[in-house]
Amino acid sequence: MQIVGFERQSDIRTGGLGLAGDSGMLADMQDETAVIDFQDVSYRVGDTQVIAGLNLKVMRGETLVLLGRSGSGKTTTLKLINRLVAPTAGEVRVNGVPNAKGDVTRLRRGIGYVIQDVGLFPHFTVARNIGLVPKIEGWNKERIRARVEELLQLVGLAPELAERYPRQLSGGQRQRVGVARALAADPEILLMDEPFGALDPLTRDQLQSEFHALQCRLNKTVVFVTHDLREALRLGSRIALMEAGKLVTVLAPLEFVKSTDPWAAAYVRAFGDGLESVAKRSAS
């Protein structure tokens, strides 16, 4: 398999906004390629502060992993990007445009979204599920058919599965269909909310490997939510650690496992040995 854009991914791993040791030149360069920009964003529900003062940039072509415990604000941060929720303070910009001021339908159609329980329409075939957004976008039937065939091959599914229904698929197959559907209209941004969390360990390991290879080929801008440090190290260009609605630190995988930050160090201790080798394999 030819890996396209891999050097760019490696470049992103060496630094980024919020990392110790960034030069001004590097920060300026990455400012120009920020696809998603949280500017002092907060989100409150009643008396509960869910997100507090979030400042974070997601660079073009990287996989930024939001890592944290349940209730840390990871999924809410993801939903702020495609306006499933709106900030109560601050601003989220997508490609330089405040997402509160643009057309929300156009915003969401330009962002692929993959969730843990997949969310496929049970009475739609695989082909119809994958082709849903292209159909809404007005693509003709032949173009949709060709795109469905292309995506089935891309995510490693046999062509004959196109006419099956979600109930006739395994968990891993349904998750692959979910990824294919998110990619159907070729969005620049992909949001993934613990997409492999409900799968058995072997299937999860396989899909993580496939996703990593796929991202190296497609070079999408990905925001990936997980509570699993090994998954974060394996898939992330950078890891944004969250706790109690606040951003703790943003580090490249190898920097994360060596970090002296108390929260990062606690994660490394909790997940045991072998983490540095996982981070090194991800960076290679």
Side-chain angles (χ1 to χ4, degrees):
M1 177 187 298
Q2 183 181 6
I3 305 301
V4 179
F6 188 77
E7 293 79 9
R8 189 176 184 181
Q9 286 281 73
S10 299
D11 289 344
I12 291 170
R13 292 178 194 281
T14 62
L17 297 172
L19 297 182
D22 283 344
S23 68
M25 182 180 297
L26 180 59
D28 289 343
M29 177 188 71
Q30 292 195 326
D31 274 342
E32 295 176 359
T33 56
V35 175
I36 302 164
D37 187 2
F38 293 87
Q39 299 182 356
D40 202 23
V41 171
S42 295
Y43 178 69
R44 176 183 289 273
V45 178
D47 294 330
T48 303
Q49 189 72 49
V50 182
I51 302 292
L54 177 62
N55 288 285
L56 178 65
K57 295 180 186 293
V58 184
M59 300 301 146
R60 191 175 307 280
E62 78 166 319
T63 299
L64 180 80
V65 175
L66 299 175
L67 176 70
R69 299 189 293 181
S70 297
S72 61
K74 308 182 302 296
T75 294
T76 299
T77 299
L78 202 71
K79 291 179 177 179
L80 285 163
I81 297 170
N82 62 359
R83 280 179 64 185
L84 288 177
V85 297
T88 49
E91 186 172 74
V92 182
R93 289 176 172 261
V94 177
N95 284 316
V97 179
N99 71 358
K101 296 181 180 179
D103 181 273
V104 67
T105 301
R106 296 307 310 167
L107 174 74
R108 290 174 183 167
R109 288 184 188 175
I111 299 175
Y113 195 31
V114 185
I115 58 178
Q116 186 177 114
D117 60 3
V118 187
L120 300 178
F121 292 103
H123 302 301
F124 284 13
T125 63
V126 166
R128 193 176 174 191
N129 267 289
I130 295 173
L132 180 61
V133 173
K135 183 178 180 180
I136 292 172
E137 290 287 283
W139 294 21
N140 62 47
K141 290 182 179 180
E142 181 55 32
R143 187 182 176 194
I144 294 173
R145 184 196 62 76
R147 182 61 172 162
V148 169
E149 289 181 358
E150 177 188 11
L151 287 167
L152 286 174
Q153 182 178 11
L154 190 67
V155 300
L157 291 174
E160 55 266 25
L161 295 182
E163 297 308 314
R164 292 190 185 178
Y165 291 88
R167 65 180 180 276
Q168 298 172 309
L169 305 177
S170 69
Q173 288 172 330
R174 286 194 296 271
Q175 203 62 55
R176 288 182 175 90
V177 174
V179 172
R181 183 177 65 178
L183 293 171
D186 197 23
E188 178 186 10
I189 299 168
L190 194 60
L191 307 181
M192 307 186 76
D193 192 359
E194 301 200 61
F196 312 135
L199 301 173
D200 65 84
L202 290 178
T203 303
R204 185 176 188 180
D205 178 75
Q206 182 180 9
L207 286 182
Q208 287 172 349
S209 295
E210 291 175 2
F211 171 75
H212 187 269
L214 191 64
Q215 168 63 348
C216 288
R217 290 178 58 189
L218 300 181
N219 206 38
K220 299 292 185 183
T221 300
V222 181
V223 183
F224 190 107
V225 166
T226 186
H227 61 268
D228 184 339
L229 178 55
R230 290 183 183 276
E231 184 170 66
L233 295 171
R234 186 175 188 180
L235 301 181
S237 307
R238 293 186 297 151
I239 299 169
L241 179 61
M242 300 189 70
E243 175 64 26
K246 296 181 179 180
L247 181 64
V248 176
T249 188
V250 187
L251 297 168
L254 277 172
E255 292 174 319
F256 193 100
V257 297
K258 298 176 181 179
S259 175
T260 58
D261 176 90
W263 281 108
Y267 260 87
V268 172
R269 289 194 302 272
F271 278 82
D273 297 331
L275 295 178
E276 188 169 341
S277 63
V278 175
K280 286 180 178 178
R281 285 200 304 271
S282 177
S284 64

